[in-house]
Amino acid sequence: MELIQQYQLYLLHQRKSNETIRSYLNTCRQFIAFLKHEFGISTFQKVDNTVSCKYLQHLKEVKRNTGATINVKIYALRSFFAYLVQEKHVSTNPFESVAKESIIERRVEVLSEEELAVFIDAVTHPLVKNILYTLMYTGIRINECLGLIISDIDFQRNQLIIRNGKGKHVRKLPLHEELKKRLMVHISSLDTTQKQLDTFLFPISAAYVNKIMALTVKKLAWSQRITCHTFRHSFATNLVKKGVNVPTVAELLGHKDYRVVTKTYIHLDEEVMSDAIHLLT
């Protein structure tokens, strides 16, 4: 376990996000448990290609992990063993040659502005409602949203500052007037002890927010699977539909490469694409 702690420090030095570090370390611990249970191995030096292939089979057949989940775990272990090779704890990386799993792409739900409004209106939990308004007007990730503190909201400059984004990059987003009003009311409703500048704006877990969202979907009798990330996809797609260029959307989402946004976040329906074609004279 000492190596895991050293690896954690290495990831922190590499400026990995807290979410990434947590995911990598959990994967490593799961792999260690597998080694002890299946092979009686207590040292990483005995892990070879046979063991890595067995673990891949274990994830598929026993754990029933999806291709996407398996790829995340393989990438994490490849990174971990690359670190071990670098530090000369092992001589080879048994996950270096493990191929990525093919992924069946799941349809991503995107809500129109009207649907977003209907959904948020149906949410009765006041804190979750404010969180969803923040996601709708900024497109930030749920972990970025829950990491906001009071001093991150600059009402004078109409800016929202994201300090805990991927790669630890700080970015400033324009504050929509409607969101500004709601956040001012939210902060004013806090009691005096909660109004310190380093107080979290939304002291709640992402799991609880998604739970409330699932209950709201059921309440509305919708068939879609709506999560916090649905709001991020909807933010990007709705902006593009309104004519905002992709590089600007990428900047707002915190992506340096706008191609990631084009591939991942923008979902245009057939009607929009048909209208685009008919713009030609």
Side-chain angles (χ1 to χ4, degrees):
M1 292 300 288
E2 185 181 343
L3 281 179
I4 298 296
Q5 293 169 346
Q6 292 172 9
Y7 180 54
Q8 182 177 9
L9 293 175
Y10 168 78
L11 293 174
L12 286 168
H13 183 70
Q14 293 294 309
R15 299 178 65 81
K16 298 293 185 182
S17 70
N18 292 334
E19 191 68 22
T20 297
I21 293 174
R22 190 179 304 115
S23 173
Y24 278 23
L25 297 183
N26 284 340
T27 297
C28 290
R29 293 186 184 105
Q30 290 166 10
F31 182 62
I32 290 170
F34 169 80
L35 292 178
K36 290 180 179 177
H37 184 268
E38 298 294 327
F39 295 93
I41 295 177
S42 58
T43 173
F44 295 117
Q45 292 174 337
K46 294 184 179 180
V47 178
D48 55 18
N49 290 339
T50 301
V51 174
S52 63
C53 289
K54 283 285 186 182
Y55 187 59
L56 184 61
Q57 184 180 9
H58 171 77
L59 294 177
K60 290 179 184 177
E61 299 177 3
V62 179
K63 293 299 184 180
R64 300 288 184 182
N65 286 167
T66 64
T69 299
I70 291 173
N71 285 342
V72 169
K73 291 183 177 181
I74 295 303
Y75 188 85
L77 290 170
R78 185 179 297 156
S79 170
F80 175 58
F81 274 90
Y83 165 76
L84 295 181
V85 170
Q86 176 183 304
E87 298 299 313
K88 296 183 170 46
H89 293 296
V90 299
S91 58
T92 59
N93 186 340
F95 287 92
E96 187 63 44
S97 59
V98 176
K100 287 177 63 176
E101 289 292 299
S102 58
I103 300 175
I104 299 174
E105 290 196 10
R106 186 172 63 188
R107 180 174 176 267
V108 177
E109 298 292 347
V110 172
L111 302 179
S112 67
E113 290 181 274
E114 293 76 16
E115 289 170 327
L116 288 168
V118 169
F119 186 86
I120 296 177
D121 188 57
V123 173
T124 56
H125 194 294
L127 191 59
V128 174
K129 189 185 284 282
N130 281 327
I131 287 170
L132 295 183
Y133 272 117
T134 303
L135 297 181
M136 181 177 75
Y137 283 119
T138 63
I140 60 178
R141 304 172 181 89
I142 183 60
N143 288 330
E144 293 174 337
C145 183
L146 299 184
L148 290 171
I149 57 177
I150 290 179
S151 61
D152 289 333
I153 315 301
D154 189 335
F155 291 115
Q156 288 188 328
R157 293 187 174 86
N158 289 320
Q159 287 183 336
L160 185 148
I161 305 170
I162 307 298
R163 303 182 191 278
N164 64 331
K166 282 191 174 180
K168 303 289 185 181
H169 298 299
V170 176
R171 70 184 192 278
K172 297 179 180 179
L173 300 177
L175 191 59
H176 192 284
E177 191 60 34
E178 181 62 30
L179 179 59
K180 178 180 179 179
K181 293 176 185 176
R182 292 184 177 278
L183 291 181
M184 289 180 77
V185 171
H186 171 60
I187 293 173
S188 66
S189 69
L190 301 175
D191 61 48
T192 307
T193 59
Q194 294 177 303
K195 288 185 181 180
Q196 304 300 318
L197 291 178
D198 60 350
T199 298
F200 283 111
L201 202 59
F202 304 117
I204 198 171
S205 72
Y208 188 77
V209 175
N210 278 318
K211 178 182 178 181
I212 296 296
M213 294 179 76
L215 291 173
T216 304
V217 170
K218 189 174 182 180
K219 175 182 175 181
L220 291 169
W222 287 5
S223 60
Q224 301 104 309
R225 179 177 178 269
I226 309 299
T227 67
C228 295
H229 218 59
T230 304
F231 276 61
R232 185 167 166 84
H233 283 266
S234 302
F235 173 83
T237 301
N238 289 332
L239 284 182
V240 171
K241 283 183 177 181
K242 285 179 173 290
V244 179
N245 62 64
V246 174
T248 299
V249 176
E251 188 73 23
L252 290 169
L253 291 176
H255 282 289
K256 290 183 177 180
D257 188 348
Y258 71 85
R259 291 171 298 183
V260 174
V261 175
T262 305
K263 181 180 178 181
T264 308
Y265 290 104
I266 297 174
H267 314 276
L268 302 179
D269 53 39
E270 291 182 3
E271 182 180 353
V272 171
M273 291 188 285
S274 176
D275 288 346
I277 289 295
H278 286 91
L279 290 174
L280 296 171
T281 57

